[in-house]
Amino acid sequence: MDPTTERNMKWVPGFGAMLLVLLSHVTSALEVPLDLPQPPTITLQSPKDYIFDPRENIVIHCEAKGKPNPSFSWTRNGTHFDVEKDSKVLMKPGSGTLVIDISGEKAEAYEGTYQCTAHNEHGTAVSNNIVIRQSRSPLWSKERNEAITVQMGVSLVLQCRPPAGLPPPVIFWMDNNFQKLQLDQRVSQALNGDLYFSNVLREDTRSDYICYARFPHTQTIQQKQPISVTVLDMETMNETVAALYNITEFYSDSPEGVRRPGFMMPLGPTSTKMVLRGETLELECIAEGLPTPEMSWQKDGGELPSSRTSFENFKKTLKISDVNEADGGNYRCTAANNLGTVHHIIKVTVKAAPFWVSAPRNLVLAPNETGILTCRVSGEPKPKISWFVNGVPIENAPEDHTRKVDDDTVILSNVQSGSSAVYQCNASNEFGYLMANAFVSVLAEAPRVLTPPNQVYQVITNNPALLHCSSFGSPIPTITWFKDSQISIKNGDLYVIHENGTLEIHVAQSLNSGKYTCIATNNLGIKENHVFLEVKESTRILKQPEYKVVQRGMSAVFECKVKHDPSLVPTMTWLKDSGELPDDERFEVDTDSLTVKHVTDEDEGTYTCIMNTTLDHDSASAMLTVVEKPDPPTDLELTDQTDRSVQLSWIPGDDHNSPTEKFLIQYEDLLHQPGLWINLTDVGGTSTTAQLNLSPFVYYSFRVLAQNPVGYSSPSQPSRQYRTNPAAPDENPSDVRGVGTESDNLVISWTPLTGFQSNGPGLEYKVLWRQKDMDGDWLSKNVANVSHFVVTGIPTFVPFEIKVQAMNDYGSGPEPEVFIGHSGEDLPLSAPESVQVMVHNSTLAEVHWEPVSFPSVRGKLQGYKVYYHRERGLHETEKMMDEEEQVLTFSGNRSEGRLPGLQPYSLYKLFIRVINSKGEGPQSPSKTFETPEGVPGPPSFLKVLNPSLDSLTLEWGPPMNNNGRLAGYTLKYQPVNTTNELGPVKVMTLMANETTITLSNLNSSMLYKFYLSAKTIKGSGPIITEEAFTVMDTAVPSRQVDIATQGWFIGLMCAIALLILVLLIVCFIKRNKGGKYPVKEKEDAHQDPEIQPMKEDDGTFGEYSDTEDHKPLKGSRTPSNGTVRRDESDDSLVDYGEGGDGQFNEDGSFIGQYSGKKEKDTHEGNESSEAPSPVNAMNSFV
């Protein structure tokens, strides 16, 4: 045993890896550190029942821990076993384990009951009583097996009766060739090893029924003498019964015929069975009968526990594992065949060897504390409990007033230092015993935290997290927890602090990640420890592999896309049928997929992708089904043969995992079309026969193709040839028609019958015809090997009744169908008359005529053709034009038609012809008509000429088609601003002879849009448009306005120039009146950068000058950056500047443009400085 230390009598084994273990083991034992004084604790011992192999050494384990290290001693059969006196016995150093060398010795001498004792100054612990026994495999007792002769159908038992071994042997039956006998519902082996036959058959006759016993420990097999069994039927039995009676044991319990079931074991209607709690209950019922009975089980008044129930030996054995008290009761086994049923009831009672309810556990107490040891057991019958102290019965131990024994409880009150001891509890009944050690250690110790510091716990989100704070101290330390060294954690919905100090977070989330501190406190001190929790995202398969159906030779791709915590290292593994993938380069594993190339039948199975991390995993599976075209059918057979039908049967081939949808039957006509296979019929995929309808005079050969979703199989092998007898034709030629090719003939044509359709030799056709509605006799002609016949010397386009009948050497076909044909056509004789034209508008006219008589058509009326063309326009200046003639065809027997698309104000001429299939008849008299005026076409062009600041000229050409008398033009125009908004529209009416106009008073630098249309008395025609600027800008082809041409800008420049001139005059006057003015000295003294003249390379414009050659002013300067800034004025000239000096014309207009470098002024942004300007430059002289 290995009892563990615990405080407050709460014990659960230590922390495990699995979640289930984690949840059930939340209160771990309180371990006493080994550097502290403590009584011995048994940590390893051999099982209570130890069966050893005499060929090997006996090893009896006994290990223990304690402080100081314990010493060991042994007892055998209740007396001291002096290990040192036996040279064959060795005790391992540092432990109590015995190694007994039994080589050359009688192993029986060391059999017995052993017990180990571990002792130090604080107490004594003892092991279980270990019973040592030698394994045995005795030989089979000498016996002579009599030959058995039985009547067929009776029951039979072959007894095994193996020798009693230790442990019991495994029984099985074999023959002389070491082949196991086949067991089934009729022949079965009982739990005791006997072989039962519910009824015997002739094939049960053999002379080598051999029972074998295998002894597990020695791995030896013993064999029983062979048993001979002869099974005779009733007739043979009557002939030989007298002779056999004297030399064999003769079984003849019942007649050879069928019989009701009966139980061979157990016997009688009821039996009893006792089983111990926790063991496996085995119930057995074996029945005889003919036919062989079937077995079933039920529990009276209850259900069988499905999770613990299993059936073996063809339901003749019922097993219930891990039996408990509820499994007691009556179990009913039923044997049934078609003649009746029989029942047997087994009464099961459940007893129990002692089992723990609450085993005593180690106690660590501080001085003056009180503790309780409990030894709670159960069993049937109720176990007897005995207490021991340091291996001595408690009643014989030294008296201790602090100790009180109350049946299964020992109470220790106000313990003192030096009172440590080991207590043993022994519980026993007739079925066994339990024994446990529990020490009581009296210590005064400050808290210790046993969990390693700074341990990192990792857990998947939404799973429980367990943070350990294993501690030791006496008195018991109080455990408190903090998160991030600040937040105090209390028991509640989110957290549970277990009695062993473990902190449990029921459902861990990412916000729970962080540093946790546990503090252990008692009256002797305080100790803290830090651990860390990392909550990781779960591993999830986002795209699972899907079921694949793949044709052999193609590729299959399984996708497996996974999401996982980025801090965890994933490992993708693929399995096939729960095993490793084949070592084959056809299997290619990628990061998120598996590709199987050139799939074969062996690749079929279940493929599983498993994504593992150190904390969790996810998996998904999908099946691969390999399909292929079906194999061709085999074994074609013809049955039920008649002249017109036969039945074809076949055996389907393998469908290769893709069910056959249909079978296609084809035939070859070896007489008429050898080598050509023709589809005859098809049947469903589950059929294996087809009734085939046949034709006479055919040499048939059949084959079958199977079709599944993948495709058609190869054709089967052809069937044997089957010939049908000739017969008269079953059908006549098709597509019979009568059409004349000349005006006096009739060509009768048809589609000939095939050789397959001929039904016999000597095929020919009887052609019959007569004029329709004349009641004359049928005229006929027999022809062969042709598909048409020509009748001549008949009237033009007359209807005829025609028919064609097939004939052969065996008779005529059915009565043929009558068709209508016509003799040949000729050109029409008459022209349409009374032609009239009605003009609807300038582009549409309607023509009427009187249709010709039907006889004059001399054929099938196709319709009428109207020929018309434009002679000329009606304008007096227009000349005659030779225009192309136009034709409109009006199908059928029409008397009117419309002529669209005419040109207005024109003279047209037309005539009409009737048409049939042969051609056109004579033309009608010509007819002329005029179209009225219409709206004109658009002007032929529109151009803008000579644009200036406020005017421009428009020029255009007259319309290509006036469509009447031109009345004039309408001109509209409107301005378009820079945002594409249209201004007000102005309208002008112009004369018909005008083709140019000048528009004035326009806005300068403005875009205008112009619209021009011509008009007649019918209205205005389509417009033509044009756009133009008043001033053409060739540099920048855009709608931007050049401000240099704006009036306000020119005026501003003039004002500035005038102001500068006035200031210069004033300056010169002052200098002349005041004498010398030390300008130079002042400039040298001040050196103000704002008034220093700038050089050309400093970004200046240069100096202003006018047409009067005024000298430049040295002190004048332009803006330092040489530009007009866009953010100061929207009317910047920078975009249009090309360099050069600014100057004015004589009329005062500014014709120069600014230029210069776009550099920032060195003083830009200084709030105290003033922006340089021409005005500032002038102020420096005042």
Side-chain angles (χ1 to χ4, degrees), residues 819-846:
F819 298 90
I820 303 298
H822 285 79
S823 57
E825 301 182 39
D826 207 345
L827 294 176
L829 295 174
S830 303
E833 298 178 349
S834 304
V835 177
Q836 300 293 329
V837 179
M838 181 185 302
V839 179
H840 288 283
N841 54 45
S842 60
T843 60
L844 176 65
E846 186 174 312

Side-chain angles (χ1 to χ4, degrees), residues 209-221:
Y209 285 96
I210 305 173
C211 181
Y212 288 85
R214 180 172 60 84
F215 296 90
H217 273 56
T218 60
Q219 295 299 316
T220 58
I221 297 177

Side-chain angles (χ1 to χ4, degrees), residues 433-494:
Y433 76 95
L434 289 175
M435 198 276 289
N437 291 276
F439 68 65
V440 176
S441 182
V442 181
L443 290 172
E445 185 72 20
R448 299 183 183 189
V449 177
L450 305 179
T451 300
N454 300 317
Q455 189 164 343
V456 178
Y457 295 92
Q458 294 181 331
V459 68
I460 297 297
T461 185
N462 294 324
N463 282 296
L466 296 175
L467 309 182
H468 297 300
C469 186
S470 177
S471 64
F472 179 79
S474 185
I476 303 169
T478 301
I479 303 298
T480 54
W481 281 91
F482 293 87
K483 184 177 188 297
D484 299 327
S485 302
Q486 295 177 349
I487 304 171
S488 178
I489 297 175
K490 304 295 183 184
N491 273 318
D493 293 337
L494 300 179

Side-chain angles (χ1 to χ4, degrees), residues 1 3 126 128 356 359-360 375 387 423-427 434-438:
M1 295 188 53
V126 297
N128 291 322
W356 291 116
C375 180
W387 284 98
Y423 288 77
Q424 288 85 30
C425 169
N426 186 293
L434 289 175
M435 198 276 289
N437 291 276

Side-chain angles (χ1 to χ4, degrees), residues 800-998:
F800 279 84
E801 292 178 320
I802 55 178
K803 54 186 179 179
V804 180
Q805 186 178 29
M807 306 170 64
N808 65 16
D809 293 345
Y810 290 83
S812 300
E815 180 63 27
E817 182 182 354
V818 176
F819 298 90
I820 303 298
H822 285 79
S823 57
E825 301 182 39
D826 207 345
L827 294 176
L829 295 174
S830 303
E833 298 178 349
S834 304
V835 177
Q836 300 293 329
V837 179
M838 181 185 302
V839 179
H840 288 283
N841 54 45
S842 60
T843 60
L844 176 65
E846 186 174 312
V847 59
H848 294 259
W849 64 87
E850 183 178 328
V852 299
S853 62
F854 279 109
S856 69
V857 175
R858 297 204 296 178
K860 185 176 182 180
L861 177 64
Q862 301 291 325
Y864 293 85
K865 280 188 178 180
V866 178
Y867 293 82
Y868 64 99
H869 70 278
R870 182 172 180 265
E871 294 269 302
R872 61 178 176 82
L874 295 179
H875 201 277
E876 57 273 9
T877 62
E878 188 174 343
K879 299 180 180 179
M880 291 287 290
M881 300 179 66
D882 187 13
E883 296 195 12
E884 182 180 354
E885 189 173 52
Q886 294 176 278
V887 180
L888 282 179
T889 301
F890 300 95
S891 300
N893 188 22
R894 297 279 296 275
S895 61
E896 78 284 331
R898 291 196 170 197
L899 309 179
L902 303 178
Q903 189 169 331
Y905 206 51
S906 300
L907 177 67
Y908 279 88
K909 186 175 183 180
L910 65 78
F911 61 86
I912 305 172
R913 295 176 186 267
V914 65
I915 53 176
N916 64 11
S917 301
K918 193 73 173 178
E920 301 179 7
Q923 73 176 45
S924 68
S926 297
K927 185 74 176 180
T928 60
F929 64 94
E930 296 179 355
T931 55
E933 292 188 59
V935 297
S940 56
F941 66 89
L942 174 61
K943 294 190 296 185
V944 178
L945 305 176
N946 305 322
S948 64
L949 290 176
D950 60 353
S951 65
L952 52 77
T953 300
L954 296 178
E955 181 181 358
W956 64 89
M960 299 296 293
N961 295 310
N962 290 344
N963 295 337
R965 292 181 291 273
L966 197 63
Y969 298 93
T970 299
L971 173 65
K972 299 179 182 181
Y973 63 95
Q974 60 186 141
V976 183
N977 65 15
T978 56
T979 60
N980 289 329
E981 295 177 347
L982 299 175
V985 179
K986 292 186 179 181
V987 181
M988 299 181 65
T989 301
L990 307 173
M991 299 299 292
N993 57 355
E994 291 186 83
T995 58
T996 182
I997 186 172
T998 299

Side-chain angles (χ1 to χ4, degrees), residues 108 165 246 374 604:
E108 294 87 346
N246 294 326
T374 60
E604 194 167 83

